[in-house]
Amino acid sequence: MLIRVNVNGDSREVDVWPGASLLSVLREELNLPGSKNACEQGECGSCSVWLDGDLVCSCLVLAAQAHEREVRTIESLAEGEGLHPVQEAFLEAGAVQCGFCTPGLVVAVTDLLQRDPSPDELTVREALSGNLCRCTGYQKIFEAVSLAAQRKREGVW
Amino acid sequence: MIVVAVPVKDLVNAKRRLMPVLTPEERTALARAMLRDVLRALRGAALDAVWVVTRDTEVRALAQASRSVGSPQIRNRGTLGGNLGTASPAGDTLPVLAVHDAEVLLAAAGGRARVLRWNEFQTGVKRTAIAPDELIIGARWRVLLGPQSFSKVGTRSAMVISVASLCLALDPVERQVRVALGSVAPTVIRAPDAEALAAEALARAGAWDEPAAPPPDGTAEAFAERVAAAATPIDDVRGTARYRRRAVEVLARRALSWAIDERADEALVS
């Protein structure tokens, strides 16, 4: 079936199998492999994207359900060679180890800080409860969130 | 994306200008009828979503249960229909439907439609009475006007499948205490013996007429014991049967105490 989706600001038309997930179409058809394919059941958050502005697991959205809607992926954050401030914060805080969970976490952190630039620790933990990291143990990730939040409050982004 | 947000005050505080001519019950009914008309009109509009924003406590347990599902990503996609269709004994919103004796609305191609009670719909672990050509259209129930709560026990406070869950609601109109349990039987269940014991204790204390009247000491404990007796849990990776029975007992004792205290507090305020 033919679907039309606005992906990162561009209108794209793609012929998809009706049972295909949005994640597989992003990665396999639209050349956007930043969203990672890990658990495929909404547990790990590695595939987090925005669908009409809502944070969702793209593995749990049918590509067909994105027809005539707006999808934003991790690829929309950095401009040119410069990193997005949340990505920069992850880098500086050392919040990246193997890197597989990082795109989903960066998307989830950006989603949180856009709504709430001064989240308390519980709010951060709750907001990131759907993103699993099996390497770093989260402490450096929380440090990256603090850094990115501080810069958000300072008006850097 | 086009969304309509409908702000709704506490229904009991709606239409206050009509206080001289209408009873609180009539004003609540009027406000609810007006809300229903608004929602019916919106259903015909080409909208992506309708948000009803309210502090009214009529849907508090449903809001609490929905809030406890999965992660933000899951909640942004999840629906009541999804919880019903999965029919997990641990489905977070299912005890809320059970407490309200909700009906599930099904429809099939060709305009065929039918209505099943919640316990006719869920027939076993992840089993339902839905036919292959049917869709879940929604669920409906009579609202209960007393205190209500949903609570659950799990290994984390987020992104967790419940080890035991419980929804309790008081129905001051029918003078009933209603309680439903999740994760402690093949389907969500009610605990009728416990419900009868608590309703009778409240009646004996006169608490249905005088909300501040305290029921006899030990009511919540006796109620909780009967709730635990209704459970038929299993041992699995999330918890042992013994732990689950104990967990649901603790949830039951707390939930009834909260409800009794809340009614007493409301009586003090008014």
Side-chain angles (χ1 to χ4, degrees):
Chain A
M1 64 190 294
L2 198 63
I3 61 166
R4 204 167 35 246
V5 196
N6 186 303
V7 182
N8 299 336
D10 297 329
S11 182
R12 309 283 292 264
E13 261 192 10
V14 52
D15 194 11
V16 304
W17 171 59
S21 70
L22 175 60
L23 174 65
S24 67
V25 169
L26 289 172
R27 291 179 55 85
E28 312 294 334
E29 310 285 337
L30 296 174
N31 199 26
L32 293 167
S35 309
K36 298 301 177 213
N37 183 1
C39 76
E40 284 189 281
Q41 53 179 16
E43 293 272 349
C44 77
S46 306
C47 63
S48 298
V49 302
W50 286 278
L51 177 66
D52 281 346
D54 286 335
L55 186 70
V56 302
C57 289
S58 58
C59 72
L60 293 187
V61 178
L62 290 173
Q65 289 176 302
H67 179 57
E68 307 256 298
R69 300 176 77 173
E70 283 179 18
V71 175
R72 274 181 67 213
T73 70
I74 181 73
E75 284 90 348
S76 71
L77 292 182
E79 287 178 33
E81 292 300 302
L83 292 178
H84 184 276
V86 174
Q87 293 171 313
E88 190 63 49
F90 268 66
L91 196 63
E92 282 178 41
V96 176
Q97 202 160 323
C98 89
F100 207 78
C101 69
T102 309
L105 273 160
V106 168
V107 168
V109 171
T110 307
D111 183 76
L112 167 67
L113 296 182
Q114 278 170 351
R115 287 180 286 110
D116 180 1
S118 308
D120 60 24
E121 195 195 326
L122 270 179
T123 306
V124 175
R125 285 176 180 272
E126 168 63 31
L128 301 186
S129 60
N131 292 80
L132 300 184
C133 168
R134 301 289 79 177
C135 302
T136 73
Y138 303 103
Q139 192 49 47
K140 287 182 185 298
I141 292 169
F142 292 135
E143 287 166 18
V145 177
S146 299
L147 200 55
Q150 189 191 325
R151 289 176 184 165
K152 177 86 174 151
R153 291 193 297 273
E154 288 167 357
V156 175
W157 62 292
Chain B
M1 178 166 174
I2 303 171
V3 175
V4 170
V6 185
V8 182
K9 313 184 161 170
D10 295 1
L11 294 182
V12 71
N13 286 320
K15 301 285 147 208
R16 292 180 75 97
R17 274 172 302 168
L18 295 174
M19 275 171 87
V21 284
L22 296 181
T23 66
E25 290 73 26
E26 286 168 337
R27 286 188 293 112
T28 303
L30 175 62
R32 188 179 298 113
M34 291 172 72
L35 174 61
R36 193 172 296 140
D37 285 348
V38 169
L39 294 178
R40 196 166 286 150
L42 290 173
R43 200 161 54 186
L47 298 169
D48 295 295
V50 175
W51 297 337
V52 177
V53 183
T54 184
R55 287 194 321 180
D56 196 282
T57 53
E58 282 182 13
V59 287
R60 184 170 62 193
L62 181 63
Q64 288 170 333
S66 304
R67 182 66 182 73
S68 81
V69 172
S71 63
Q73 287 95 324
I74 303 295
R75 290 195 289 275
N76 283 342
R77 294 292 295 163
T79 62
L80 202 59
N83 237 190
L84 278 165
T86 305
S88 161
D92 285 313
T93 60
L94 301 182
V96 183
L97 298 189
V99 142
H100 286 90
D101 268 329
E103 294 177 326
V104 182
L105 314 179
L106 301 173
R112 261 191 310 118
R114 62 180 177 140
V115 177
L116 295 178
R117 262 171 56 107
W118 64 276
N119 53 353
E120 296 166 337
F121 178 83
Q122 193 181 8
T123 55
V125 177
K126 298 188 181 175
R127 283 178 184 278
T128 71
I130 193 168
D133 65 343
E134 283 179 318
L135 286 176
I136 299 166
I137 298 302
R140 66 182 180 200
W141 56 84
R142 180 173 68 83
V143 294
L144 301 176
L145 300 177
Q148 51 179 258
S149 67
F150 170 84
S151 46
K152 79 183 197 184
V153 171
T155 45
R156 302 170 62 188
S157 53
M159 198 69 193
V160 70
I161 302 172
S162 71
V163 176
S165 65
L166 180 139
C167 182
L168 178 135
L170 298 195
D171 179 359
V173 177
E174 302 287 332
R175 304 192 162 195
Q176 289 175 347
V177 175
R178 299 177 175 209
V179 66
L181 325 176
S183 282
V184 293
T187 64
V188 167
I189 55 167
R190 293 273 292 268
D193 288 349
E195 293 181 356
L197 176 137
E200 204 187 305
L202 289 176
R204 269 206 312 274
W208 293 118
D209 295 309
E210 174 45 68
D217 281 351
T219 299
E221 287 74 12
F223 168 73
E225 216 170 278
R226 289 210 187 175
V227 165
T232 54
I234 56 165
D235 294 325
D236 72 6
V237 288
R238 295 202 307 280
T240 62
R242 197 164 153 233
Y243 178 81
R244 285 190 154 104
R245 195 173 277 114
R246 174 71 182 138
V248 88
E249 182 176 353
V250 173
L251 292 180
R253 176 171 50 76
R254 288 181 189 164
L256 185 61
S257 305
W258 293 333
I260 289 169
D261 290 350
E262 191 179 325
R263 260 171 73 79
D265 287 349
E266 274 170 17
L268 280 179
V269 171
S270 59

